[in-house]
Every structure is written in C-alpha cells, then in structure tokens.
Amino acid sequence: HTEDELSRSSHSNPGKSLVNGIKTNPASNSPKSSFPVPVGPPVYVDLAYIPNHCSGKNTDPEFFKRVRASYYVVSGNDAANGEPSRAVLDALLEGKSQWGENLQVTLIPTHDTEVTREWYQQTHEKQQELNIMVLASSSTVVMQDESFPACKIEF
C-alpha cells in the first residue's frame, strides 16, 4: 500500500486504525487485546524482566508459556498498585508447568516484599517440583544519599 492509500483508508473508516498492520477498533482499549496470540514456538532467553514491575495488568500465564527464561527479574515494590502481583507470580507457576521440559528457572526479586515472601512460602513445594529457585540477596548498593538491595548475576 502506498502512503496515500493508507491515508484514504483511515479517513474512509473513522474509528478504525492499524496496529501492527491489523485493523483495530480504538473503542476497545483494554490492555489485553481480543486478538488471538499468533501460534508459534516459545522464545528462549537467558534473562527476562517481568513487564510493568510485575503488575497483573500486562502479564499472564501466556507470557510465561511463550517467554522461557533462565532468569526472571521481579522489580515491583508498590503494594498500593499491586506490584508485585501475586497473580503474576502464580502465572509463572502455571506457565512453567506447561513447558514440557524441566529447565532450571531462577526468579530474582529486586525488593523484599510481603507478597513475594508469602508466595514463596505458600508455593515452595510447587517451585521445587517445577525447578524454580528464588534468589535472595543480602547485598546492598550505596549511591550518594540512597541505598538499595541488589543482586549480582553472572553468566
């Protein structure tokens, strides 16, 4: 399509737009699209950052089925906004249980939160069964006027 054709197409179809080459209806602005996820093989990576500070708004079991990482970083530290989300941590268990292979996974929380601690204690047996290790760190980084917990990852 030429630029003019695309321009005419969007003017002749008010309320419709293209997102990644697919016509969508902007009235449907839910974060989880009603479009089916394309079928394809999972993606294997060394390290994945769980999106949106481990908020349940953008991450579900499908994320963990499709993005298979050796290490997942959980950076949420805002209980008022549901970060990290218990539902996302549970989604990791659900997604990993469908991998069909027992690869080692390490979960790296960047903050010690009540949600993470409770999830760890309540699902420890399932974590062991799925070969998931939660990395705890007692390291602290001090920078000028602030300090914060940190983890060191070596490959």
Side-chain angles (χ1 to χ4, degrees), residues 69-100:
S70 297
Y71 299 88
Y72 290 102
V73 177
V74 177
S75 71
N77 190 27
D78 186 355
N81 284 319
E83 299 168 3
S85 165
R86 170 68 188 249
V88 172
L89 297 171
D90 288 340
L92 167 62
L93 298 175
E94 183 180 335
K96 173 95 169 50
S97 70
Q98 297 180 33
W99 285 14

PDB file of all heavy atoms in Angstrom, residues 69-100:
ATOM      1  N   ALA A  69      12.592 -18.099  30.157  1.00  0.00           N
ATOM      2  CA  ALA A  69      13.866 -17.512  30.568  1.00  0.00           C
ATOM      3  C   ALA A  69      14.538 -18.359  31.640  1.00  0.00           C
ATOM      4  O   ALA A  69      13.870 -19.020  32.437  1.00  0.00           O
ATOM      5  CB  ALA A  69      13.644 -16.100  31.105  1.00  0.00           C
ATOM      6  N   SER A  70      15.849 -18.306  31.649  1.00  0.00           N
ATOM      7  CA  SER A  70      16.601 -18.930  32.740  1.00  0.00           C
ATOM      8  C   SER A  70      16.463 -18.095  34.006  1.00  0.00           C
ATOM      9  O   SER A  70      16.466 -18.625  35.116  1.00  0.00           O
ATOM     10  CB  SER A  70      18.081 -19.041  32.369  1.00  0.00           C
ATOM     11  OG  SER A  70      18.248 -19.879  31.252  1.00  0.00           O
ATOM     12  N   TYR A  71      16.342 -16.762  33.830  1.00  0.00           N
ATOM     13  CA  TYR A  71      16.216 -15.830  34.940  1.00  0.00           C
ATOM     14  C   TYR A  71      15.087 -14.855  34.641  1.00  0.00           C
ATOM     15  O   TYR A  71      15.028 -14.274  33.552  1.00  0.00           O
ATOM     16  CB  TYR A  71      17.502 -15.018  35.128  1.00  0.00           C
ATOM     17  CG  TYR A  71      18.703 -15.852  35.448  1.00  0.00           C
ATOM     18  CD1 TYR A  71      19.491 -16.401  34.443  1.00  0.00           C
ATOM     19  CD2 TYR A  71      19.075 -16.096  36.771  1.00  0.00           C
ATOM     20  CE1 TYR A  71      20.598 -17.187  34.735  1.00  0.00           C
ATOM     21  CE2 TYR A  71      20.181 -16.869  37.079  1.00  0.00           C
ATOM     22  CZ  TYR A  71      20.938 -17.408  36.054  1.00  0.00           C
ATOM     23  OH  TYR A  71      22.027 -18.174  36.341  1.00  0.00           O
ATOM     24  N   TYR A  72      14.194 -14.666  35.599  1.00  0.00           N
ATOM     25  CA  TYR A  72      13.146 -13.640  35.513  1.00  0.00           C
ATOM     26  C   TYR A  72      13.398 -12.634  36.625  1.00  0.00           C
ATOM     27  O   TYR A  72      13.550 -13.015  37.788  1.00  0.00           O
ATOM     28  CB  TYR A  72      11.751 -14.237  35.719  1.00  0.00           C
ATOM     29  CG  TYR A  72      11.259 -15.104  34.601  1.00  0.00           C
ATOM     30  CD1 TYR A  72      11.290 -16.489  34.722  1.00  0.00           C
ATOM     31  CD2 TYR A  72      10.738 -14.556  33.434  1.00  0.00           C
ATOM     32  CE1 TYR A  72      10.816 -17.307  33.705  1.00  0.00           C
ATOM     33  CE2 TYR A  72      10.261 -15.364  32.410  1.00  0.00           C
ATOM     34  CZ  TYR A  72      10.300 -16.735  32.551  1.00  0.00           C
ATOM     35  OH  TYR A  72       9.828 -17.537  31.552  1.00  0.00           O
ATOM     36  N   VAL A  73      13.418 -11.351  36.282  1.00  0.00           N
ATOM     37  CA  VAL A  73      13.607 -10.289  37.259  1.00  0.00           C
ATOM     38  C   VAL A  73      12.243  -9.719  37.640  1.00  0.00           C
ATOM     39  O   VAL A  73      11.450  -9.344  36.783  1.00  0.00           O
ATOM     40  CB  VAL A  73      14.509  -9.162  36.704  1.00  0.00           C
ATOM     41  CG1 VAL A  73      14.636  -8.019  37.703  1.00  0.00           C
ATOM     42  CG2 VAL A  73      15.885  -9.712  36.347  1.00  0.00           C
ATOM     43  N   VAL A  74      11.980  -9.664  38.954  1.00  0.00           N
ATOM     44  CA  VAL A  74      10.755  -9.089  39.511  1.00  0.00           C
ATOM     45  C   VAL A  74      11.160  -7.805  40.227  1.00  0.00           C
ATOM     46  O   VAL A  74      11.854  -7.857  41.235  1.00  0.00           O
ATOM     47  CB  VAL A  74      10.105 -10.045  40.540  1.00  0.00           C
ATOM     48  CG1 VAL A  74       8.887  -9.416  41.171  1.00  0.00           C
ATOM     49  CG2 VAL A  74       9.780 -11.369  39.915  1.00  0.00           C
ATOM     50  N   SER A  75      10.727  -6.649  39.708  1.00  0.00           N
ATOM     51  CA  SER A  75      11.181  -5.413  40.325  1.00  0.00           C
ATOM     52  C   SER A  75      10.103  -4.674  41.106  1.00  0.00           C
ATOM     53  O   SER A  75      10.344  -3.597  41.605  1.00  0.00           O
ATOM     54  CB  SER A  75      11.748  -4.472  39.260  1.00  0.00           C
ATOM     55  OG  SER A  75      10.690  -3.968  38.459  1.00  0.00           O
ATOM     56  N   GLY A  76       8.910  -5.209  41.215  1.00  0.00           N
ATOM     57  CA  GLY A  76       7.820  -4.493  41.875  1.00  0.00           C
ATOM     58  C   GLY A  76       8.055  -4.251  43.349  1.00  0.00           C
ATOM     59  O   GLY A  76       8.515  -5.129  44.075  1.00  0.00           O
ATOM     60  N   ASN A  77       7.712  -3.036  43.784  1.00  0.00           N
ATOM     61  CA  ASN A  77       7.827  -2.680  45.196  1.00  0.00           C
ATOM     62  C   ASN A  77       6.776  -1.632  45.548  1.00  0.00           C
ATOM     63  O   ASN A  77       7.069  -0.658  46.225  1.00  0.00           O
ATOM     64  CB  ASN A  77       9.233  -2.157  45.503  1.00  0.00           C
ATOM     65  CG  ASN A  77       9.460  -1.997  46.999  1.00  0.00           C
ATOM     66  OD1 ASN A  77       8.843  -2.677  47.805  1.00  0.00           O
ATOM     67  ND2 ASN A  77      10.349  -1.096  47.368  1.00  0.00           N
ATOM     68  N   ASP A  78       5.561  -1.799  45.059  1.00  0.00           N
ATOM     69  CA  ASP A  78       4.495  -0.831  45.310  1.00  0.00           C
ATOM     70  C   ASP A  78       3.206  -1.580  45.613  1.00  0.00           C
ATOM     71  O   ASP A  78       2.393  -1.842  44.728  1.00  0.00           O
ATOM     72  CB  ASP A  78       4.333   0.083  44.096  1.00  0.00           C
ATOM     73  CG  ASP A  78       3.350   1.216  44.332  1.00  0.00           C
ATOM     74  OD1 ASP A  78       2.715   1.259  45.413  1.00  0.00           O
ATOM     75  OD2 ASP A  78       3.206   2.068  43.440  1.00  0.00           O
ATOM     76  N   ALA A  79       3.017  -1.926  46.874  1.00  0.00           N
ATOM     77  CA  ALA A  79       1.856  -2.723  47.278  1.00  0.00           C
ATOM     78  C   ALA A  79       0.544  -2.020  46.936  1.00  0.00           C
ATOM     79  O   ALA A  79      -0.440  -2.670  46.580  1.00  0.00           O
ATOM     80  CB  ALA A  79       1.922  -3.027  48.766  1.00  0.00           C
ATOM     81  N   ALA A  80       0.510  -0.698  47.011  1.00  0.00           N
ATOM     82  CA  ALA A  80      -0.721   0.046  46.717  1.00  0.00           C
ATOM     83  C   ALA A  80      -1.177  -0.153  45.272  1.00  0.00           C
ATOM     84  O   ALA A  80      -2.368  -0.113  44.980  1.00  0.00           O
ATOM     85  CB  ALA A  80      -0.510   1.535  46.992  1.00  0.00           C
ATOM     86  N   ASN A  81      -0.243  -0.374  44.360  1.00  0.00           N
ATOM     87  CA  ASN A  81      -0.568  -0.608  42.952  1.00  0.00           C
ATOM     88  C   ASN A  81      -0.504  -2.088  42.574  1.00  0.00           C
ATOM     89  O   ASN A  81      -0.495  -2.429  41.398  1.00  0.00           O
ATOM     90  CB  ASN A  81       0.372   0.191  42.044  1.00  0.00           C
ATOM     91  CG  ASN A  81       0.002   1.658  42.027  1.00  0.00           C
ATOM     92  OD1 ASN A  81      -1.173   2.008  41.985  1.00  0.00           O
ATOM     93  ND2 ASN A  81       1.005   2.517  42.082  1.00  0.00           N
ATOM     94  N   GLY A  82      -0.420  -2.961  43.561  1.00  0.00           N
ATOM     95  CA  GLY A  82      -0.400  -4.392  43.286  1.00  0.00           C
ATOM     96  C   GLY A  82       0.879  -4.865  42.634  1.00  0.00           C
ATOM     97  O   GLY A  82       0.866  -5.764  41.807  1.00  0.00           O
ATOM     98  N   GLU A  83       1.997  -4.248  42.998  1.00  0.00           N
ATOM     99  CA  GLU A  83       3.290  -4.609  42.420  1.00  0.00           C
ATOM    100  C   GLU A  83       4.240  -5.032  43.535  1.00  0.00           C
ATOM    101  O   GLU A  83       4.498  -4.240  44.435  1.00  0.00           O
ATOM    102  CB  GLU A  83       3.885  -3.417  41.672  1.00  0.00           C
ATOM    103  CG  GLU A  83       3.021  -2.938  40.526  1.00  0.00           C
ATOM    104  CD  GLU A  83       3.453  -1.591  39.975  1.00  0.00           C
ATOM    105  OE1 GLU A  83       4.464  -1.035  40.448  1.00  0.00           O
ATOM    106  OE2 GLU A  83       2.767  -1.092  39.091  1.00  0.00           O
ATOM    107  N   PRO A  84       4.727  -6.234  43.510  1.00  0.00           N
ATOM    108  CA  PRO A  84       4.467  -7.276  42.527  1.00  0.00           C
ATOM    109  C   PRO A  84       3.093  -7.901  42.752  1.00  0.00           C
ATOM    110  O   PRO A  84       2.566  -7.892  43.864  1.00  0.00           O
ATOM    111  CB  PRO A  84       5.575  -8.288  42.776  1.00  0.00           C
ATOM    112  CG  PRO A  84       5.886  -8.153  44.228  1.00  0.00           C
ATOM    113  CD  PRO A  84       5.673  -6.698  44.548  1.00  0.00           C
ATOM    114  N   SER A  85       2.563  -8.456  41.708  1.00  0.00           N
ATOM    115  CA  SER A  85       1.244  -9.073  41.747  1.00  0.00           C
ATOM    116  C   SER A  85       1.353 -10.558  42.074  1.00  0.00           C
ATOM    117  O   SER A  85       2.106 -11.282  41.430  1.00  0.00           O
ATOM    118  CB  SER A  85       0.560  -8.897  40.392  1.00  0.00           C
ATOM    119  OG  SER A  85      -0.555  -9.747  40.279  1.00  0.00           O
ATOM    120  N   ARG A  86       0.587 -11.008  43.035  1.00  0.00           N
ATOM    121  CA  ARG A  86       0.548 -12.432  43.364  1.00  0.00           C
ATOM    122  C   ARG A  86       0.058 -13.226  42.150  1.00  0.00           C
ATOM    123  O   ARG A  86       0.536 -14.325  41.869  1.00  0.00           O
ATOM    124  CB  ARG A  86      -0.369 -12.652  44.584  1.00  0.00           C
ATOM    125  CG  ARG A  86      -0.709 -14.105  44.893  1.00  0.00           C
ATOM    126  CD  ARG A  86       0.522 -14.864  45.368  1.00  0.00           C
ATOM    127  NE  ARG A  86       0.258 -16.282  45.485  1.00  0.00           N
ATOM    128  CZ  ARG A  86       0.193 -16.946  46.629  1.00  0.00           C
ATOM    129  NH1 ARG A  86       0.351 -16.320  47.777  1.00  0.00           N
ATOM    130  NH2 ARG A  86      -0.021 -18.245  46.633  1.00  0.00           N
ATOM    131  N   ALA A  87      -0.883 -12.656  41.391  1.00  0.00           N
ATOM    132  CA  ALA A  87      -1.407 -13.347  40.207  1.00  0.00           C
ATOM    133  C   ALA A  87      -0.307 -13.593  39.180  1.00  0.00           C
ATOM    134  O   ALA A  87      -0.289 -14.632  38.520  1.00  0.00           O
ATOM    135  CB  ALA A  87      -2.545 -12.547  39.587  1.00  0.00           C
ATOM    136  N   VAL A  88       0.625 -12.657  39.044  1.00  0.00           N
ATOM    137  CA  VAL A  88       1.718 -12.837  38.087  1.00  0.00           C
ATOM    138  C   VAL A  88       2.675 -13.915  38.580  1.00  0.00           C
ATOM    139  O   VAL A  88       3.131 -14.753  37.797  1.00  0.00           O
ATOM    140  CB  VAL A  88       2.462 -11.504  37.823  1.00  0.00           C
ATOM    141  CG1 VAL A  88       3.709 -11.731  36.985  1.00  0.00           C
ATOM    142  CG2 VAL A  88       1.526 -10.504  37.143  1.00  0.00           C
ATOM    143  N   LEU A  89       2.962 -13.919  39.854  1.00  0.00           N
ATOM    144  CA  LEU A  89       3.837 -14.960  40.401  1.00  0.00           C
ATOM    145  C   LEU A  89       3.189 -16.337  40.235  1.00  0.00           C
ATOM    146  O   LEU A  89       3.861 -17.303  39.878  1.00  0.00           O
ATOM    147  CB  LEU A  89       4.161 -14.660  41.865  1.00  0.00           C
ATOM    148  CG  LEU A  89       4.946 -13.362  42.107  1.00  0.00           C
ATOM    149  CD1 LEU A  89       5.025 -13.049  43.602  1.00  0.00           C
ATOM    150  CD2 LEU A  89       6.326 -13.433  41.483  1.00  0.00           C
ATOM    151  N   ASP A  90       1.880 -16.406  40.451  1.00  0.00           N
ATOM    152  CA  ASP A  90       1.162 -17.667  40.220  1.00  0.00           C
ATOM    153  C   ASP A  90       1.161 -18.030  38.733  1.00  0.00           C
ATOM    154  O   ASP A  90       1.222 -19.205  38.371  1.00  0.00           O
ATOM    155  CB  ASP A  90      -0.274 -17.578  40.739  1.00  0.00           C
ATOM    156  CG  ASP A  90      -0.344 -17.573  42.260  1.00  0.00           C
ATOM    157  OD1 ASP A  90       0.617 -18.013  42.922  1.00  0.00           O
ATOM    158  OD2 ASP A  90      -1.388 -17.109  42.792  1.00  0.00           O
ATOM    159  N   ALA A  91       1.096 -17.016  37.865  1.00  0.00           N
ATOM    160  CA  ALA A  91       1.125 -17.250  36.418  1.00  0.00           C
ATOM    161  C   ALA A  91       2.450 -17.882  36.005  1.00  0.00           C
ATOM    162  O   ALA A  91       2.494 -18.701  35.072  1.00  0.00           O
ATOM    163  CB  ALA A  91       0.891 -15.946  35.655  1.00  0.00           C
ATOM    164  N   LEU A  92       3.535 -17.516  36.680  1.00  0.00           N
ATOM    165  CA  LEU A  92       4.826 -18.150  36.403  1.00  0.00           C
ATOM    166  C   LEU A  92       4.723 -19.649  36.654  1.00  0.00           C
ATOM    167  O   LEU A  92       5.153 -20.457  35.826  1.00  0.00           O
ATOM    168  CB  LEU A  92       5.930 -17.548  37.276  1.00  0.00           C
ATOM    169  CG  LEU A  92       7.253 -18.319  37.324  1.00  0.00           C
ATOM    170  CD1 LEU A  92       7.906 -18.395  35.949  1.00  0.00           C
ATOM    171  CD2 LEU A  92       8.201 -17.698  38.336  1.00  0.00           C
ATOM    172  N   LEU A  93       4.129 -20.033  37.763  1.00  0.00           N
ATOM    173  CA  LEU A  93       3.974 -21.455  38.075  1.00  0.00           C
ATOM    174  C   LEU A  93       3.112 -22.150  37.023  1.00  0.00           C
ATOM    175  O   LEU A  93       3.450 -23.230  36.545  1.00  0.00           O
ATOM    176  CB  LEU A  93       3.369 -21.642  39.462  1.00  0.00           C
ATOM    177  CG  LEU A  93       4.171 -21.099  40.649  1.00  0.00           C
ATOM    178  CD1 LEU A  93       3.380 -21.250  41.936  1.00  0.00           C
ATOM    179  CD2 LEU A  93       5.521 -21.775  40.752  1.00  0.00           C
ATOM    180  N   GLU A  94       1.998 -21.516  36.660  1.00  0.00           N
ATOM    181  CA  GLU A  94       1.098 -22.114  35.679  1.00  0.00           C
ATOM    182  C   GLU A  94       1.766 -22.224  34.307  1.00  0.00           C
ATOM    183  O   GLU A  94       1.709 -23.264  33.656  1.00  0.00           O
ATOM    184  CB  GLU A  94      -0.183 -21.280  35.562  1.00  0.00           C
ATOM    185  CG  GLU A  94      -1.192 -21.884  34.620  1.00  0.00           C
ATOM    186  CD  GLU A  94      -2.459 -21.041  34.505  1.00  0.00           C
ATOM    187  OE1 GLU A  94      -2.784 -20.284  35.430  1.00  0.00           O
ATOM    188  OE2 GLU A  94      -3.119 -21.164  33.453  1.00  0.00           O
ATOM    189  N   GLY A  95       2.402 -21.142  33.870  1.00  0.00           N
ATOM    190  CA  GLY A  95       3.063 -21.158  32.566  1.00  0.00           C
ATOM    191  C   GLY A  95       4.196 -22.157  32.507  1.00  0.00           C
ATOM    192  O   GLY A  95       4.317 -22.939  31.566  1.00  0.00           O
ATOM    193  N   LYS A  96       5.048 -22.181  33.535  1.00  0.00           N
ATOM    194  CA  LYS A  96       6.198 -23.098  33.568  1.00  0.00           C
ATOM    195  C   LYS A  96       5.747 -24.547  33.611  1.00  0.00           C
ATOM    196  O   LYS A  96       6.385 -25.419  33.038  1.00  0.00           O
ATOM    197  CB  LYS A  96       7.089 -22.778  34.775  1.00  0.00           C
ATOM    198  CG  LYS A  96       8.233 -23.766  35.016  1.00  0.00           C
ATOM    199  CD  LYS A  96       9.509 -23.336  34.417  1.00  0.00           C
ATOM    200  CE  LYS A  96      10.743 -24.093  34.806  1.00  0.00           C
ATOM    201  NZ  LYS A  96      10.745 -25.520  34.742  1.00  0.00           N
ATOM    202  N   SER A  97       4.605 -24.818  34.246  1.00  0.00           N
ATOM    203  CA  SER A  97       4.127 -26.198  34.333  1.00  0.00           C
ATOM    204  C   SER A  97       3.745 -26.759  32.966  1.00  0.00           C
ATOM    205  O   SER A  97       3.638 -27.968  32.807  1.00  0.00           O
ATOM    206  CB  SER A  97       2.923 -26.289  35.281  1.00  0.00           C
ATOM    207  OG  SER A  97       1.792 -25.668  34.714  1.00  0.00           O
ATOM    208  N   GLN A  98       3.587 -25.898  31.970  1.00  0.00           N
ATOM    209  CA  GLN A  98       3.202 -26.338  30.638  1.00  0.00           C
ATOM    210  C   GLN A  98       4.369 -26.374  29.654  1.00  0.00           C
ATOM    211  O   GLN A  98       4.173 -26.610  28.466  1.00  0.00           O
ATOM    212  CB  GLN A  98       2.082 -25.440  30.113  1.00  0.00           C
ATOM    213  CG  GLN A  98       0.843 -25.567  30.972  1.00  0.00           C
ATOM    214  CD  GLN A  98      -0.289 -24.705  30.496  1.00  0.00           C
ATOM    215  OE1 GLN A  98      -0.442 -24.472  29.308  1.00  0.00           O
ATOM    216  NE2 GLN A  98      -1.090 -24.227  31.427  1.00  0.00           N
ATOM    217  N   TRP A  99       5.587 -26.160  30.137  1.00  0.00           N
ATOM    218  CA  TRP A  99       6.752 -26.174  29.249  1.00  0.00           C
ATOM    219  C   TRP A  99       7.029 -27.563  28.689  1.00  0.00           C
ATOM    220  O   TRP A  99       7.576 -27.687  27.609  1.00  0.00           O
ATOM    221  CB  TRP A  99       7.985 -25.670  29.976  1.00  0.00           C
ATOM    222  CG  TRP A  99       8.029 -24.184  30.195  1.00  0.00           C
ATOM    223  CD1 TRP A  99       7.004 -23.300  30.057  1.00  0.00           C
ATOM    224  CD2 TRP A  99       9.149 -23.435  30.626  1.00  0.00           C
ATOM    225  NE1 TRP A  99       7.414 -22.040  30.374  1.00  0.00           N
ATOM    226  CE2 TRP A  99       8.746 -22.094  30.730  1.00  0.00           C
ATOM    227  CE3 TRP A  99      10.455 -23.759  30.952  1.00  0.00           C
ATOM    228  CZ2 TRP A  99       9.611 -21.073  31.122  1.00  0.00           C
ATOM    229  CZ3 TRP A  99      11.312 -22.748  31.344  1.00  0.00           C
ATOM    230  CH2 TRP A  99      10.897 -21.412  31.421  1.00  0.00           C
ATOM    231  N   GLY A 100       6.762 -28.593  29.444  1.00  0.00           N
ATOM    232  CA  GLY A 100       7.059 -29.938  28.975  1.00  0.00           C
ATOM    233  C   GLY A 100       8.520 -30.314  29.142  1.00  0.00           C
ATOM    234  O   GLY A 100       8.940 -31.386  28.761  1.00  0.00           O
TER     235      GLY A 100
END
